[in-house]
Structure formats: structure tokens, C-alpha cells
Amino acid sequence: MMEPVNLGTEITDRNDRALSRGLSHIERGDDFGRALLAALYPRTGGAHVIGITGNPGSGKSTLVRALAREACAMNFTVGIIAVDPSSPFTKGSILGDRIRMNDLAAELHVFIRSLATHGALGGLSRAVADSVDLMDAAGKQIIFIETVGVGQDEVDVMHTAHTVAVVNVPGLGDDIQAMKAGILEISDIHVVNKADREGSDRIIAELKSMLTMCANGRNGWKIPVLPSIAILEQGTGPILEAMRLHFAYLKGSGELEERRRRIVKTRLLSIVQRAIEDAANARKSGCEDLVEQVLAKKLDPYAAGEELLGRLTEMRTGGGVRV
Amino acid sequence: MMEPVNLGTEITDRNDRALSRGLSHIERGDDFGRALLAALYPRTGGAHVIGITGNPGSGKSTLVRALAREACAMNFTVGIIAVDPSSPFTKGSILGDRIRMNDLAAELHVFIRSLATHGALGGLSRAVADSVDLMDAAGKQIIFIETVGVGQDEVDVMHTAHTVAVVNVPGLGDDIQAMKAGILEISDIHVVNKADREGSDRIIAELKSMLTMCANGRNGWKIPVLPSIAILEQGTGPILEAMRLHFAYLKGSGELEERRRRIVKTRLLSIVQRAIEDAANARKSGCEDLVEQVLAKKLDPYAAGEELLGRLTEMRTGGGVRV
């Protein structure tokens, strides 16, 4: 079998098949993937990572597609990470979007990867961050991460991006606004897609007034609200331009360093959490007796948690827990 | 200040004001709340915990409201935990649903609590599980948990329920189906709300055929697909009945014990993860130097994670990490 360092060289030589193979290791979180990431990590840091999020039906896949096309036309190398909300149960078979994405990959020189959201706490943002690193080392200059905009895990994924765009759409009702609240505080650009629909003027006005009220403390960057009709590729030029301007702003203001720092910190924590979880799941950690004691009401959950933490610590001392 | 054990007595005496005060401690995760939970934990285990999830616009708040009314009419004591997807940034001020919920609390003897989703990994499901315990100890016989149906965190919340119902709605497009995939494998009942809308027959047929294909391995319980028009309180009787039947099935088949076991195990892990995260966030754990080394590409994230894990273990030995 090929050594990680050799696959790494193929990846930095911009071999997309090698990148695909590397990403499979990354997703499995295996030792090969770990070694590959360690080898390539010094080559990262060049990419502009753009997170795009929005409710189902907002047309965010279509928007990402149009933005990728636009970026290619400007001679950027582009990667897309589409976070697939399907579970192993459904295996993504009902996701028409993913098929449309593959058309794009064939049509343009865009590298597309779909990631499943299945699995453990912290698993998704870990896989996304590692995948971003690999694409970055492979020379992708712009990496789009597309995900649905609700849930803490999705918010965590967006925290791995330099620039976050939220896609809104007219006519989906009041609930929609509430859904996005969790992501509002980290959005840098608002897009109102399907802007030919009734109500788009109103949603643009609402967003602008909300931003006026809330966006203090955002020193320097004025969050734009931009209309688009992604399916007709209308408005996507100015959106990509705003994204690039935001990246320039981050660099110029020193905020890019601040964001990178936050991203790394979040990532370290999720790596450690994952390690703890794996250890607790492993047979030898034996939390089953604690579970039984909680079920029998002999221990409350926190007392049992304290005991489990103690055992994991002993395991660690004995070399049983590793990242 | 009142002792936890005294507040606990007031709670088991079914004083809803005391329950409210207790829940505030639980949400803050303070020592008082911890002691309260330890005191009340032996009194838990009587409630039927029902998770209800669905996309925004599916009318799930209205459905929960109608189901709560129905359950009250059958002389059940009812609690509702509404998971509020807003962040501290917006403070839930744009959530009309929460206001409608409070009307219900006043109108019926339903105890309603709204939980914010802000904060750390594992924080939400921890708070939900603890809140369920308190309501359970307070004698609530049916506890509804309402949450949006996407994101790993939301799926985790649903894992704290005995019975999970997914609310579908006609006419929201194909994306919707994809969104729910993460939660499909744990749903016990499907509701098609707004069943007077065009397309409801089609979505019911689709769900049934999907269940025929996928729902092997679900020994004994045939997942029903039930229509409703929640706003007119139509169809909610049979839905509540299906929920109670499912609970009876869980008890009769021994699966309830299995689910309780899974719930406790997940909960222990999230308690331990939270402890680790808190420790890493605390100033004294000092992961800042590791962050800087990763930024400088002197360490890759996993090597830094390994080092951080080692430090946390040392802290633990020194008593620095606690749940």
C-alpha cells in the first residue's frame, strides 16, 4: 500500500484522484488519514473557506453551483464540500441535489465532495475541517462548504469557515427567521435568493433593519444583503465579489488571524471530545455497570459521569485513550 | 437560601413555581441544580417522554399544543419542553411560537419550558435530559419535547425520548425529505400535518412505501403514518393514541428498558464531554500555546489534540476536571 507521504505528494501535485482517496481516509478517521493530514498540514493556509447555509428550499445548492461556476470563470481553483444530512440508514439515495452536484463536477473543474452527517458528536465538524485542510493543501483556492442552517452541529461547521453566507428566501413564513437565529451571529453576508418572488423586497428590508439593530460590535465589515436568482445565475457575480471583499477585509484588519485562532481552538476541543467518546464507547472502558447503576437509581447521572471521567483518566495514564 | 432537598420536596409536591425555579438551576448547570437533580433522580421514571420534530413551517408547535390539550382532557399531567433555536444574540425575541405556547400554559394545566440552544457541544441534550428528569419527578405523566428536526444536536435531543414523532407537511419540496433523513431512523410515528393541503395523499403514500422498504429490523412496532390538521385539532386524538400505544408496546416488549439504557449511556458520555470541554475552556488548562503552535504549523491539529488530552488528564489527576 502507498505511504501517506507519497499520496500527500500526489495531492499537492494537484491530482484530484489522489485527493479523493485521501478524503476517504480522512472521513474514516483512520491512521493513514491521520498521517496524511500531519504530512499535508504545513501546506495549508492558502484557501479562502466560504460557508453557505440556508433552509431547505432556499436554493443554496443551486447558488453554490452558480458561485463555483463564477469562480472558475475567474480562474480560481474550486472545491465544494456538501454536507449531506442523510444518515447511513438512507445512504443519501433520496438526495437529488447530490446528483446535480456531480453534473457540475464533470462540467467544470470543480472538485466536489459530499460528507454524511452520521455518527458521533463532533464528528461532522472534525471531518469538514480535515477535508478543508486536504483540499487546501491540494491547491484549491476557494472552498465552499454547503450545509443546512440549523442545529448546533451545522453552526459548528460554519465556524470552520472564514466567510459565512446565509441564504434567505421570500415566502417561507416567519418560522424561517427563527431557524436562522443560531447562525445569524456568525453570518458575514446575507443572500436573498429567488429574488423574483413576491416578498423579496420585504425580506431584504427586514434583514437590513435587523442588521442595523444588531450588528454593532462588528467592527469594520458592513454585512451586505444581496439579492440573487441563482437558477438563472443572476446576482451571483456581486455575491462572489462580496465574499472576496470580505476575505480581503479579514486579511487587512487582522481579523483573519483571530478567526483562524478560533477555528483551531474549536477544532482541538472537538478532537479531544471525540477521543473521550471513542474511549468510553470502547468495550474495555466498561461504562455498562455505571449505566446499570443509573437505571437502578443507585447513582444519578452526574455521579456516574464523575466516576466515568475518573476511569477514563486512569485509562489515559495507562495509554488507553488516544486522539 | 433554600436547600436543594427542600426545593425538591416542593417539586415532588407538584408546586409548579418550585419546578420553574429548579429548572432555572438545571439550565445554568450550577451546583444547586446538580444537588437538586441528585435528590430527585430516584423519583424519576414515571413519565412518557415524547419527542416531536419537524421542519419549520410544519406546524409542530401547533400540533404539540393540540396534543397537550388532548392529553389534559384525558386527565394526564403534561409538561412541554420547547427547544428554542435562537441564540443569545437574538434572545428569542422573534419567536412568535413561544408566545402562543405561553397562552396554552395559562389556558390549561400544562407546564411549559423553553430551552435555548446556545452554548457548547452536548449542552442542549444535557439540559433537555435534566429538565425531563425534573418534570418527571414533579409528576408530569407525559412530557413533550419539541425541536426542529435537523442537526446532530437535535437528533441527540430526540434520543432522550421514548417515542419520537416526525411531522411532515405537503408541498415543501424535495429538500424536506433529505433534511429529515438524519432523524428517520429513530422515528416511531409519522404525522402528515396540514393534511388538507394538496399533495398530502402523495406524501402519505411516499412515507408508507419508504417505511415498507426501510423499516425492517424494527421488530414488533409498525410505524404508523397519520394525517392531521393541527390548527383545527383534527386527527390529534389518533396521534396521541398511537403515542400511548407505542409506549405500551415499549413496555410490553422489554424495549423500554433497552431505550432507557441507551438514553443513560448517551447522557453519561455527554456529561463527560462537557466536563472536558469546560476544563479546556478554563484559563488554567492553557490550550492557547497549543493553538499558536497549530497556527504556526509546528503541530498538526491531532498532535496538538493528543497533547491537550495529556494535559487534561494531568489536571484530572490533580482534581482539576470535574463534571
Side-chain angles (χ1 to χ4, degrees), chain B residues 229-249:
Chain B
I229 309 171
I231 202 150
L232 303 177
E233 303 195 21
Q234 286 181 17
T236 48
I239 292 167
L240 186 63
E241 196 189 328
M243 288 166 167
R244 297 300 295 171
L245 276 175
H246 180 254
F247 196 48
Y249 157 76

Side-chain angles (χ1 to χ4, degrees), chain A residues 53 137 298:
Chain A
T53 186
K298 287 176 192 158

Side-chain angles (χ1 to χ4, degrees), chain B residues 200-213:
Chain B
S200 75
D201 290 345
R202 194 174 52 78
I203 198 174
I204 289 173
E206 277 176 11
L207 281 167
K208 284 185 176 169
S209 91
M210 185 196 69
L211 289 170
T212 311
M213 287 190 301

Side-chain angles (χ1 to χ4, degrees), chain A residues 15-182:
Chain A
N15 175 339
D16 277 353
R17 280 171 165 276
L19 176 55
S20 266
R21 277 210 306 284
L23 287 171
S24 298
H25 287 291
I26 290 294
E27 284 160 31
R28 283 196 295 271
D30 61 20
D31 287 344
F32 189 101
R34 201 64 52 81
L36 182 65
L37 189 73
L40 290 181
Y41 193 72
R43 303 289 292 265
T44 63
H48 178 199
V49 183
I50 301 172
I52 297 185
T53 186
N55 284 287
S58 65
K60 64 189 169 313
S61 291
T62 310
L63 181 68
V64 169
R65 183 192 169 98
L67 291 171
R69 199 191 304 271
E70 199 90 43
C72 286
M74 295 167 72
N75 287 318
F76 286 109
T77 51
V78 178
I80 297 177
I81 298 174
V83 175
D84 174 342
S86 74
S87 73
F89 183 64
T90 56
K91 300 210 169 57
S93 55
I94 51 180
L95 296 173
D97 272 359
R98 297 292 90 82
I99 296 161
R100 293 200 294 272
M101 278 288 188
N102 289 335
D103 291 348
L104 178 65
E107 181 191 326
L108 295 167
H109 292 289
V110 172
F111 186 90
I112 301 184
R113 189 77 180 189
S114 184
L115 274 182
T117 62
H118 62 79
L121 267 169
L124 180 63
S125 51
R126 180 202 62 82
V128 168
D130 291 358
S131 300
V132 162
D133 276 348
L134 238 60
M135 286 193 181
D136 186 346
K140 304 304 172 198
Q141 294 165 307
I142 297 182
I143 299 170
F144 293 103
I145 308 172
E146 179 209 339
T147 176
V148 294
V150 278
Q152 190 57 50
D153 219 30
E154 276 60 41
V155 175
D156 290 336
V157 166
M158 284 299 114
H159 275 291
T160 65
H162 303 126
T163 300
V164 174
V166 176
V167 185
N168 305 270
V169 69
L172 281 187
D174 287 343
D175 258 348
I176 302 302
Q177 305 304 318
M179 293 275 293
K180 281 196 297 269

